[in-house]
Amino acid sequence: QILKDATLYFSRATPNLATVIPAMDLVDKKLTTYSLNPKYSPAICAAVSLAKQTLNQYYQLTDSTEVYRIAMVLHPRHKLTYFKKANWEEGWIDTA
C-alpha cells in the first residue's frame, strides 16, 4: 500500500521536489517495519528487504545533487528542522 500511495502522490499534477526526501524516509520506515514484522512469512520479509535496498539505492542518488537539500532548506515548512527531527548527522545538516 505504501508504494501505491507514494506512486499516486508523485503522479499528481504538481509534485514538489522538497517532498521527495520526506516521502522516501516514510517509505523506508514503513518497509523496515514490514520487514521485521513476524506476522509476515520469511518470503514476504525478504521481498520487502529487497524493496528497501532498491529504495536506498535511489535515496543515495539524491546525494549526487544538491537540488533536493536546497529545495528542503528553502521550503517554508521544512528548512533545517526536518533534517534535525530525522536525526541526520550534524555534518550532513551542515552540508545541507
Side-chain angles (χ1 to χ4, degrees):
Q1 182 65 40
I2 188 70
L3 296 176
K4 181 180 177 182
D5 290 344
T7 300
L8 292 174
Y9 180 77
F10 285 108
S11 296
R12 66 183 186 187
T14 56
N16 186 324
L17 193 59
T19 61
V20 171
I21 290 177
M24 291 178 98
D25 284 344
L26 177 63
V27 171
D28 184 66
K29 183 178 178 180
K30 293 286 187 179
L31 291 177
T32 299
T33 300
Y34 297 152
S35 70
L36 300 174
N37 192 328
K39 82 174 187 178
Y40 298 119
S41 72
I44 296 296
C45 291
V48 170
S49 292
L50 289 173
K52 185 173 164 40
Q53 287 177 4
T54 301
L55 175 69
N56 287 334
Q57 288 175 347
Y58 284 102
Y59 201 124
Q60 288 176 351
L61 292 175
T62 66
D63 289 339
S64 65
T65 180
E66 297 173 346
V67 175
Y68 296 98
R69 289 171 288 199
I70 291 169
M72 295 217 23
V73 170
L74 293 177
H75 193 280
R77 180 174 165 211
H78 298 303
K79 304 255 181 227
L80 291 176
T81 305
Y82 178 82
F83 299 119
K84 291 175 184 174
K85 284 183 179 179
N87 295 319
W88 282 37
E89 295 178 14
E90 277 300 317
W92 294 355
I93 294 171
D94 292 341
T95 299

